[in-house]
Amino acid sequence: MAEQQLRIAVFASGQGSNFQALADAAAEGKLGGSIELLVCDKPSAPVVERARRAGIEAWVFNPKSYASREAYEHEILDELRRRGVGLVVLAGYMRILTPVLVEAFDGRMINIHPSLLPSFPGLNAIGQALEHGVKVTGVTIHFVDGGLDSGPIIAQRSIEIGEGESEASLSERIHSAENVLYPWAVRCIAEGRVTLDGRKVRIAGADFSG
Ligand code: GAR
């Protein structure tokens, strides 16, 4: 019998370059799992059109039409359970999560953040790094816990900031790094190579070589 593939939901709010990279990897059979659903809180976000083109169903909602965060998260949770989703991948999902989803997907929800955490959590991490004048920043993929960008770290890549580099240029380089690292990390999880021991994450087998 064929092994059951990991069923993945991607949450995104914006451009969706990471969603695209994940969808492309899935289409090429390189993700180790299937993307069952895009969850998006912005009906006009470009990522919704990307999902349509990739043939991936989108569950798009307007947070303002719900009484609370918990209310829409319960609906999302029902959708995820109905589809047998085993991994939630946050890819530029710009909403605070409540324990409704975080606890239901404890150890099965990951996020990508455009800095070397624990530096520059929260909004506008790229701008924060430039403003601070750091010489090196990067990308972090981590498990989601109850805090702000605070969960156990799965993978990081550093990026040197050029003298006088603009935010647009740095953002482009960070996105390029993210778009390669995220599919790799998801594949590692899908292949069962990632284990979590307290704050320490171990990845068995080959290291990243993108
Ligand atoms: C990415 O750079 C991701 O790291 C960031 O949003 C961007 C989404 O880009 N996420 C956060 O800042 C989360 N705190 P994309 O829509 O092109 O994938």
Side-chain angles (χ1 to χ4, degrees), residues 7 13 22 38 40 53 70 74 110 112-113 134 161 206:
R7 299 163 81 88
S13 306
L22 293 161
L38 166 72
C40 179
R53 273 191 269 124
E70 287 79 4
H74 275 296
I110 63 174
I112 192 160
H113 186 78
V134 292
I161 299 179

Side-chain angles (χ1 to χ4, degrees), residues 23-200:
D24 290 348
E28 289 167 19
K30 291 181 181 162
L31 200 62
S34 59
I35 302 179
E36 297 297 319
L37 191 67
L38 166 72
V39 172
C40 179
D41 59 315
K42 290 217 174 68
S44 60
V47 69
V48 176
E49 172 60 15
R50 289 186 192 265
R52 198 192 58 74
R53 273 191 269 124
I56 293 170
E57 206 181 322
W59 197 85
V60 183
F61 69 104
N62 181 355
K64 291 202 179 98
S65 50
Y66 290 82
S68 65
R69 287 194 180 110
E70 287 79 4
Y72 62 70
E73 286 199 359
H74 275 296
E75 282 194 14
I76 294 171
L77 187 54
D78 286 348
E79 288 295 323
L80 300 180
R81 288 193 168 139
R82 210 161 57 77
R83 289 173 165 81
V85 167
L87 180 70
V88 169
V89 176
L90 307 181
Y93 181 67
M94 305 310 268
R95 302 203 73 79
I96 291 170
L97 291 160
T98 81
V100 171
L101 282 174
V102 172
E103 286 173 10
F105 278 85
D106 185 28
R108 300 184 303 147
M109 182 186 285
I110 63 174
N111 182 42
I112 192 160
H113 186 78
S115 76
L116 288 177
L117 289 171
S119 289
F120 312 123
L123 290 176
N124 190 23
I126 298 172
Q128 288 186 59
L130 283 171
E131 183 69 20
H132 197 89
V134 292
K135 308 292 186 192
V136 179
T137 186
V139 173
T140 302
I141 296 168
H142 63 92
F143 283 107
V144 174
D145 65 8
L148 178 65
D149 300 322
S150 59
I153 290 170
I154 299 165
Q156 291 186 302
R157 286 298 166 267
S158 60
I159 290 171
E160 288 194 18
I161 299 179
E163 190 72 40
E165 181 161 10
S166 69
E167 187 163 338
S169 155
L170 182 57
S171 175
E172 192 181 317
R173 292 200 297 128
I174 283 184
H175 273 91
S176 299
E178 290 183 335
N179 296 167
V180 180
L181 192 62
Y182 218 6
W184 174 81
V186 169
R187 182 178 186 138
C188 290
I189 292 171
E191 290 176 346
R193 295 198 279 126
V194 176
T195 49
L196 183 54
D197 175 15
R199 273 211 65 87
K200 303 272 169 59

